Amino acid sequence: MCESKESIVGYLYDDLEAGERRSFEAHMAVCGDCRDELMALRATREHLALWSPPSRDLGFRVVREDAVPAPARVLPMRSRWSTGFGLAAAAVLVLATATAIANLEIRYDANGLVVRTGWSRPSSEVAGVTAPTGTMAPVAGNTNDDMAQLKLRLTQLERAMARPSADALQVASGPRLSDTEILQRVRAIVEDAESRQQTDISKKLAQVVRDFDHQRQADLASIQQGLGTYQGMTNAEIATQRDMLNQLYRVAARQEK
Amino acid sequence: MGGDLDSFNQLVLRWERPIYALAYRVIGREEEDRDVAQETFLRAFRALNGFKGQAKFSSWLYRITLNLCRDWMRKERRTPVSQAPEGIDIIELAGEATPHETIEQMVGRKELGRAVSRAMAALPEEQRTAIILKEYHGLTFQEIADMLDCPLSTVKTRLYQGLSVVRKQLEQAGVSSDSLGK
């Protein structure tokens, strides 16, 4: 081999300056050994291209270990609100969702805290938003437990909001929301959830009706087919019997003669 | 980037396959290469604040991968082996088929790939790494020299020597340029 290894590799990977490339090509034109060497290395490169890793579903993803406290330099994604506001928002959401599902009406007026359930109530009247509009008959018996639980949750919420957020991980970079804004958002979420629920129920009912219709039609068609078969069999039997009778009649008539 | 996990995972999605391919070709063991690739991204995420952009992000990732591969090989005191499965799964092969390729051609291509894998496993680590970075990841000679902390001429010499050894190994295995369908 006449040319240096570096020149051959440089030419092989098209990494030579113009002058160097011309000089190399001029040498290739007259030197068979170097030409063969170059061709062999080119073939080797083509062979190398056939080696590929197995096609696997990798799905790598960096996640945070919740059990381990995050190091200070890693900012948690979910901690957009301080702990106090987060807890407050979560408690309000739970309350509002439970209220929407049970369609509770909660009023506090001269008669005390009144809780009423009923699907006929409009969902916009959520706890703590509407003002008392008059006297309402208290609901007896089985809502006392609900009332106690609601009182407990409200107390917890008040305590949480009063507690300083000393153990907050990171403070939000965005603006803090007022209680009214939080409640409005929660109400919007609950209304959205309710309307989606009703839509889902309607769709499911429609599907059940369709399925029932299909099944009924299939059953009717099956019965029809069965009846047709029986009719066919009966007609065939009748025809057979008629033939037999005719045969007997002919035989009898011949014997009489 | 400020440690934004979602943004980093977008980078992971973009680079997971090249990093896995690099680990696979350097180590040659199917489960360990996956571990090394995962560890690469974990280390990269933890060291993200230290990445000042003085090199390409891909080069930085490749360097982490190569270091991990080297650590693994030293720890295990193993040289990479070709770990291709004994049989050929025709159905899996069909999924990788290129258009207008017959079954025989597919099987032939797979067999050639195995022969190349065995030939590469026989190379010293420096030569194998230089070929992998140049052939499969398209790095320039200078980038390879920077990554491996060696002179430019050394990179070219390693490439030449490595290619020559692979060529001889393939010839001994009965692979010639005719097998490329020329």
Side-chain angles (χ1 to χ4, degrees), chain A residues 1 5-6 9 13 15 37 40 44-48 50-54 56 58-60 62 73, chain B residues 9 16-17 20 24-25 30-31 34 38 46 112 116-117 135-136 141 153 160 167 175-176 179 182:
Chain A
M1 190 182 60
K5 297 171 187 174
E6 291 177 39
V9 167
Y13 287 99
D15 195 62
E37 177 82 5
T44 303
R45 286 193 67 198
E46 291 185 27
H47 285 131
L48 285 174
L50 299 171
W51 182 38
S52 54
R56 303 179 73 173
L58 296 171
F60 294 156
V62 177
R73 60 186 171 175
Chain B
N9 279 322
E16 63 178 4
R17 201 149 289 281
Y20 168 72
Y24 171 82
R25 289 189 174 107
E30 280 199 39
E31 286 308 313
R34 194 183 169 94
Q38 287 176 330
R46 289 176 191 143
L112 273 174
V116 170
S117 173
E135 283 292 336
Y136 302 107
F141 289 124
S153 57
Y160 177 84
R167 188 185 94 203
V175 176
S176 63
S179 60
K182 290 183 178 174

Side-chain angles (χ1 to χ4, degrees), chain A residues 160-171:
Chain A
M161 290 182 74
R163 194 187 310 140
S165 57
D167 54 344
L169 291 174
Q170 291 289 338
V171 179

Side-chain angles (χ1 to χ4, degrees), chain A residues 30-63:
Chain A
V30 299
C31 180
D33 288 343
C34 288
R35 209 165 42 243
D36 291 343
E37 177 82 5
L38 186 68
M39 283 177 60
L41 290 175
R42 276 190 177 143
T44 303
R45 286 193 67 198
E46 291 185 27
H47 285 131
L48 285 174
L50 299 171
W51 182 38
S52 54
S55 53
R56 303 179 73 173
D57 189 17
L58 296 171
F60 294 156
R61 187 171 173 80
V62 177
V63 295

